[in-house]
Structure formats: C-alpha cells, structure tokens
Amino acid sequence: MDTKVFLERDIERAAAILRGGGLVGIPTETVYGLGADGLNPVAVRAIFQAKGRPQDNPLILHIPEASWLERYCEDVPDTACRLAERFWPGPLTMVLKCKRRTPEELETLWGGPVCSYTHFGPRVIPDVVTAGLDTVGMRCPAHPLCREIIRLAGVPVAAPSGNTSGKPSPTTARHMLEDMAGKIDAILDGGPCCVGVESTIIDLTCTPPRLLRPGGITLEQLKGVLGEVAVDPAITRLMGEGEQPRAPGMKYRHYAPRAPVTVVKGAPERGAAYIREHLSHTRWDGVICFEEYVPLFMGGDETRPVFSLGPAGDKGEHARRLFDALRAMDNTDVKRVWAQCPDEGGIGLAVANRLNKAAGFHIIEI
Ligand code: TXA
Ligand code: MG
C-alpha cells in the first residue's frame, strides 16, 4: 500500500478515506493518532493490525464537540460537563459509561419488535473499540486540522497514538511515516505536535475520579475543578505481579527505545554531574539531558549521541522534545541511555511517567 501524505488543502480527501473505512494518520495537539471511523468495526480492527496492538487494549474516541458525548455515553456526570467546559477542546480524555441502545432504537434499527432481554442491548460503540469494556475514553482534541477532519468525516474517530506498539508516540508526520509507511492509507501532516505527550486520562466512573494517565492537562488543574482526585499507582511505580492497572494500556511496556534507559532524578546540576561520573567513556552511552548540560557530554574526542530536552526550567519543552529524543536514540547504535528528568509538578508528572516507563522504572534518585 502506498501511504499518501496530505497537507491541509487535501483535508477533504483524507476525510473521505475515513468515511470509506480507511486508516488515516491524524495530527492532534498531543501526538499523532492512527484514525478510523469509530463506528465501523472492520476499520477499527485494521488499526490493531497496523499497530500490532493487543486486542484487549481499548481505543479512545475523538469527537469535535462536547455535545456528542450524549450520543455515545450514558449517565454523563456533572463532573464531565465541568471538565469539558474548562479543558475541551484540549488534551484531556474522560472515561465514561458506554451508552446502550434502547429497545425502541433497536426496533427501528432491526425493523421489528425486540424481546425484553435487550434492556441490556448492544452498546452504541462497537466492542472492538472498547475491548468489550462497559466504559469508553472520550476526547475532544484542540488541533484545528484534527477538529476539521472529524467534522468532515461526520463520525467519531477512534485513534490510538500512531506508533507501532511499544515504540515512542509520534510527534511529527515523519515519525508516523517511519512506523506506518505502507501500512495505512494516508497521513494528514499538521506540523509538529505542540503538547508532545499523550492526553491526560481521567476515569469519571468512580469516586473520587481517578487519574489513569498524566498528560497535557495537569493533576493540579484537574484538582482545581474536581477537588479530590485519586492517582492510579501505575503512574508512579511498576505494577506488581497480579496487579491490574485501570487503563489496560498501562500494563504494556511502552515508549521503549532499543537500549536500556537509566533515569536520573533530583536537582538538575547534581543529576548531570552524576551522569558525567558514571558514563562510560565510549560512544556506546547516549545522553538525554537539559540544554545547559549538553557541553558536559560532548567535545574532546567523545562522539556520543546527546539530545537536549530544552532548558532545565521549561517542562513544556521537555514534553515536546521527549519522544523525538527517544526515537533519535533508536536511530543510533548506543547500548545504554542516561536521561535527566524534571520534577513531577505540572506537566513534569507526564514527562516523568513516560521516561520512567521507557526505563522500566529503572530510576536513580540523587
Ligand atoms: O493524546 C492521546 O490521547 C492520543 C491522541 C492520538 O489522541 N491517543 C492515545 O491513544 O494516546 P492510546 O490508545 O495510545 O492510549 C489510550 C490509553 C490506553 O492506555 C488505553 O488502555 C486507555 O487509554 N483506555 C482506553 N479506553 C479506556 C477505558 N475505557 N478505560 C480505561 N482506559 C482506557
Ligand atoms: Mg499509545
């Protein structure tokens, strides 16, 4: 298959592919997604195949505006409305109860009377999207081209991140081509993603609401609207044998570069000095560090790969650059990666979570 790359002027062609059951790489403000018509089970199945994604890992549905929630979700709580008002369109996914078809709707659909067991009738969203769960992740993205393509397609778009399973998420159309060329119909190039890490996921079906994945909307912002928010333990530590994270995707080793990663946490200057001390003096050790410390790892006759996350104080920039740095490491032949990590305040929690996962939670605190 020849994967076409579309620009904004071709957006209608990209939308037509979605309507026709094809797969399109779509830009969002967080990361690129691998989109398909979320109401077409055959199209959605193809997403799993292109990514090599386990079938038990549900997808999230992208909608152009909050008013679409009622079509696919049941008992939408007041908390969802408050969050949507404050943070949508934007990098926030809400887990809500799936809507089931009423007996009346089924009668219309099937053209005849239905028996009473259909009180528990089929969900509106195909099971392949939700991996059979009773809940669904709903997101209203902010990227203008993403909103436009969903509106033109006229359907909710199911889209996981557009990487091959186990690879860092794509933050440019080029990243997505690296993983998906020949496997999907097209990619809509909307430029580099301005958040850089995936959306925040909050489960609103439990009390208190539970943060399942940190992202562009911070824990502090969520608490500002919701008051109490529980934090899923899978965010900050490795899950033990037999423990089940609430977001099925959290159990898979994500964001994994080929070389093992060691994350160094603590005051940036001390962290950089620690890495400098423990680094082997060969090109086999790569470094991901804050801008200020790049010179510490380069120069002289040392030629190791060094990637900057941006200035130590700019966590937004760390988020934007992280996946590119992890991918860049994969394009070298390093045997080990050392990475500096911001503190967990604000979007630092999301950056730390992705880095810790890339490192299999191999973390040194200094
Ligand atoms: O920013 C994003 O959210 C990007 C862009 C493309 O929108 N999408 C994304 O999708 O990151 P994905 O599939 O890579 O990650 C979605 C996560 C997975 O870990 C999945 O297990 C979890 O959301 N998830 C989906 N539906 C869920 C549900 N009903 N309950 C709990 N977790 C769910
Ligand atoms: Mg993903």
Side-chain angles (χ1 to χ4, degrees):
M1 179 189 291
D2 178 28
T3 302
K4 296 182 191 66
V5 178
F6 289 138
L7 299 174
E8 182 173 2
R9 60 173 180 266
D10 307 308
I11 195 165
E12 171 49 41
R13 287 171 68 196
I17 294 176
L18 285 179
R19 283 197 300 272
L23 299 186
V24 180
I26 53 170
T28 85
E29 72 279 22
T30 58
V31 301
Y32 275 71
L34 176 46
D37 174 356
L39 300 179
N40 177 341
V42 177
V44 173
R45 232 167 262 131
I47 293 180
F48 286 86
Q49 193 162 25
K51 269 183 74 90
R53 182 180 177 104
Q55 297 282 344
D56 67 350
N57 193 1
L59 307 181
I60 60 186
L61 270 193
H62 297 70
I63 53 175
E65 49 191 272
S67 63
W68 284 36
L69 275 182
E70 301 287 337
R71 303 187 192 177
Y72 310 110
C73 302
E74 213 155 79
D75 308 332
V76 175
D78 172 57
T79 46
C81 304
R82 295 211 314 266
L83 289 176
E85 208 163 286
R86 179 81 178 73
F87 301 121
W88 275 5
L92 177 68
T93 298
M94 303 190 226
V95 172
L96 297 165
K97 251 177 87 177
C98 289
K99 186 165 186 156
R100 287 178 182 277
R101 294 202 189 277
T102 61
E104 293 75 32
E105 279 178 314
L106 285 177
E107 280 189 19
T108 316
L109 269 175
W110 295 348
V114 291
C115 41
S116 58
Y117 70 78
T118 50
H119 278 311
F120 300 100
R123 301 179 192 98
V124 177
I125 305 161
D127 277 353
V128 60
V129 173
T130 60
L133 293 178
D134 245 347
T135 56
V136 59
M138 301 295 296
R139 163 152 143 75
C140 176
H143 193 296
L145 291 194
C146 186
R147 291 163 65 72
E148 186 59 15
I149 194 173
I150 301 172
R151 208 173 285 120
L152 288 169
V155 290
V157 172
S161 50
N163 51 292
T164 300
S165 270
K167 286 265 197 183
S169 296
T171 51
T172 63
R174 185 179 51 79
H175 289 163
M176 231 194 126
L177 260 183
E178 277 171 18
D179 286 13
M180 292 297 155
K183 297 183 179 169
I184 64 176
D185 298 285
I187 295 173
L188 177 61
D189 189 343
C193 302
C194 65
V195 176
V197 291
E198 305 88 340
S199 63
T200 302
I201 304 181
I202 182 121
D203 186 347
L204 297 178
T205 65
C206 49
T207 313
R210 177 177 283 247
L211 179 68
L212 301 185
R213 180 175 75 180
I217 299 299
T218 65
L219 179 58
E220 294 85 344
Q221 286 175 302
L222 292 174
K223 284 182 175 167
V225 173
L226 298 172
E228 197 185 352
V229 176
V231 175
D232 200 81
I235 290 173
T236 48
R237 64 171 173 82
L238 200 58
M239 296 306 274
E241 283 280 319
E243 274 184 296
Q244 272 301 345
R246 299 278 190 101
M250 296 289 266
K251 71 172 174 275
Y252 296 106
R253 184 168 177 245
H254 261 193
Y255 324 116
R258 276 203 303 267
V261 179
T262 303
V263 174
V264 178
K265 279 191 175 155
E269 204 169 318
R270 285 214 317 271
Y274 179 94
I275 296 175
R276 179 69 248 186
E277 241 168 72
H278 291 81
L279 189 78
S280 88
H281 291 273
T282 67
R283 68 188 176 89
W284 302 115
D285 274 24
V287 179
I288 295 174
C289 65
F290 301 131
E291 188 79 37
E292 294 87 329
Y293 308 110
V294 169
L296 208 57
F297 303 108
M298 295 180 98
D301 48 9
E302 293 178 291
T303 55
R304 70 174 59 86
V306 180
F307 294 96
S308 165
L309 285 179
D314 188 349
K315 293 178 188 171
E317 192 61 14
H318 308 160
R320 276 187 289 278
R321 293 198 194 182
L322 177 64
F323 286 140
D324 189 45
L326 290 174
R327 273 183 181 259
M329 280 297 167
D330 267 349
N331 295 329
T332 69
D333 49 9
V334 293
K335 303 266 184 288
R336 183 159 63 155
V337 176
W338 297 86
Q340 285 198 280
C341 182
D343 71 66
E344 298 187 340
I347 201 171
L349 184 62
V351 175
N353 168 259
R354 308 311 192 267
L355 262 171
N356 293 345
K357 291 187 74 174
F361 286 86
H362 184 220
I363 303 164
I364 291 171
E365 301 243 14
I366 51 155

